[in-house]
Amino acid sequence: MCGFTVFTLQILHSNPRYILFIHLVINDMMWLFLSTLLLIISYALRIFFVPYCIILLIISIIVTHNSPLNLAGMSIECYIAVCMPLRHGQICTVKKTYILIGLIWAASALSILPDLFILLATEPLQFFHSKVRCVRDFVFRNPILAYKRQAVDIIYFSCVFLILVVTYLRILFAARALSTDKTSAQKARNTILLHGAQLAMCMLSYVSPSVEVVLHIIFPSRILEIRFANYLIVYILPRFLSPIIYGVRDKKFREYLRMDFLSNRCRNKVKKVTPEDKDHL
């Protein structure tokens, strides 16, 4: 209950920065659950029903693309807070933040919906009544989709990378011009750098297949260990650490966490008064 109490704090629903942060945390939680489920299916069941596999893969791909787009939104919010502080309250409202989150989900969905339409148009009906290994390449197996996937990934991550670079340079120049609030500018620069580091960690998933092939050639008898280590380091660790880093770095969020974990509501259970207890009162 302690962890979920944090999500009920009013500040997390009234500050665009925290709304985007919590969205990032929830999105990464969904990704971890789905990726773990797909990994268990791949190892335990080997093959899985195609319709259910398609649903799991589509949701997993959408939340995968959500992470870098959410980082871009957080960087823009940070840039507005530092470079346009007087207009920050007008531009970064709660309503516009939720609209941005909706656009993030829509943009991520548009990256996979063409694959679904091509799959429905090209595959025979028997394919959807069969079982396959629940991996994207085995389900969306049209050769055209592989090139389309590479193009979409390059476009998405290039746009996010460009946004991070532009916002960082603008904040860097603004920090040099500011003489009154150097601490805030320094913190904003560090935040942008963390966004860039997390984006780099997200991009590791695109080079990990090639690394896995090389390691398989070097250690042919250790394929299962290589896959598990690759999954743990490339996929699990970055998404587990980044929300913790962002949350702990924020002074206000850290204070709320400390108050929450020290609260008696989280440590003590509510005791019901029994008739025997009433006799002692």
Side-chain angles (χ1 to χ4, degrees):
M1 293 296 294
C2 295
F4 289 100
T5 306
V6 179
F7 291 91
T8 64
L9 296 174
Q10 181 62 30
I11 189 175
L12 300 181
H13 304 279
S14 58
N15 190 313
R17 182 174 306 171
Y18 294 122
I19 293 175
L20 290 173
F21 170 71
I22 294 301
H23 176 253
L24 178 66
V25 173
I26 295 175
N27 184 82
D28 285 345
M29 289 170 59
M30 292 177 59
W31 187 94
L32 289 172
F33 170 77
L34 290 170
S35 62
T36 303
L37 180 61
L38 290 171
L39 183 68
I40 294 173
I41 291 174
S42 178
Y43 276 87
L45 301 179
R46 299 288 181 178
I47 57 176
F48 197 56
F49 290 102
V50 170
Y52 302 121
C53 185
I54 291 175
I55 295 174
L56 292 175
L57 286 174
I58 288 177
I59 300 176
S60 177
I61 294 168
I62 290 176
V63 296
T64 299
H65 283 144
N66 281 348
S67 292
L69 295 178
N70 196 94
L71 289 175
M74 294 174 69
S75 299
I76 294 174
E77 187 277 334
C78 186
Y79 159 73
I80 295 174
V82 174
C83 299
M84 296 182 288
L86 298 179
R87 300 184 59 189
H88 180 266
Q90 180 183 0
I91 299 175
C92 299
T93 62
V94 174
K95 182 179 179 180
K96 292 179 180 179
T97 304
Y98 284 115
I99 292 175
L100 175 62
I101 293 175
L103 293 175
I104 289 173
W105 280 86
S108 299
L110 289 176
S111 68
I112 186 59
L113 286 181
D115 298 39
L116 178 61
F117 295 147
I118 294 175
L119 177 69
L120 295 174
T122 56
E123 295 292 345
L125 185 61
Q126 293 81 1
F127 175 75
F128 299 97
H129 296 281
S130 62
K131 294 181 179 181
V132 296
R133 186 181 175 188
C134 200
V135 180
R136 183 173 183 175
D137 293 335
F138 286 85
V139 177
F140 300 95
R141 53 189 184 179
N142 193 308
I144 299 177
L145 296 180
Y147 297 104
K148 178 259 177 189
R149 175 185 177 182
Q150 294 177 358
V152 169
D153 291 339
I154 291 173
I155 292 173
Y156 271 61
F157 281 92
S158 297
C159 292
V160 175
F161 180 77
L162 182 62
I163 290 174
L164 289 175
V165 171
V166 171
T167 52
Y168 174 76
L169 292 177
R170 291 291 183 89
I171 291 174
L172 181 63
F173 293 142
R176 291 181 177 178
L178 291 174
S179 58
T180 57
D181 196 7
K182 292 184 178 180
T183 303
S184 177
Q186 179 68 29
K187 185 178 179 180
R189 291 203 306 268
N190 294 337
T191 301
I192 296 297
L193 286 176
L194 281 176
H195 290 170
Q198 187 179 12
L199 179 63
M201 289 188 293
C202 291
M203 295 180 67
L204 288 176
S205 59
Y206 295 93
V207 300
S208 62
S210 301
V211 175
E212 187 175 312
V213 171
V214 174
L215 292 176
H216 179 48
I217 296 174
I218 300 174
F219 307 102
S221 61
R222 299 289 184 178
I223 182 62
L224 294 179
E225 291 83 352
I226 291 172
R227 287 179 179 176
F228 180 77
N230 178 61
Y231 175 75
L232 183 65
I233 296 173
V234 175
Y235 295 97
I236 297 295
L237 193 60
R239 286 176 169 83
F240 178 76
L241 290 178
S242 57
I244 297 177
I245 294 173
Y246 289 142
V248 172
R249 280 187 68 253
D250 190 277
K251 181 179 179 181
K252 187 178 295 185
F253 193 84
R254 185 171 63 248
E255 181 65 21
Y256 277 106
L257 281 175
R258 187 184 67 83
M259 293 172 58
D260 184 69
F261 282 111
L262 294 178
S263 174
N264 290 329
R265 294 180 303 159
C266 297
R267 293 185 301 171
N268 301 324
K269 294 182 179 179
V270 178
K271 296 182 179 180
K272 294 183 179 181
V273 179
T274 61
E276 291 78 5
D277 297 327
K278 292 181 179 179
D279 295 335
H280 296 286
L281 295 177

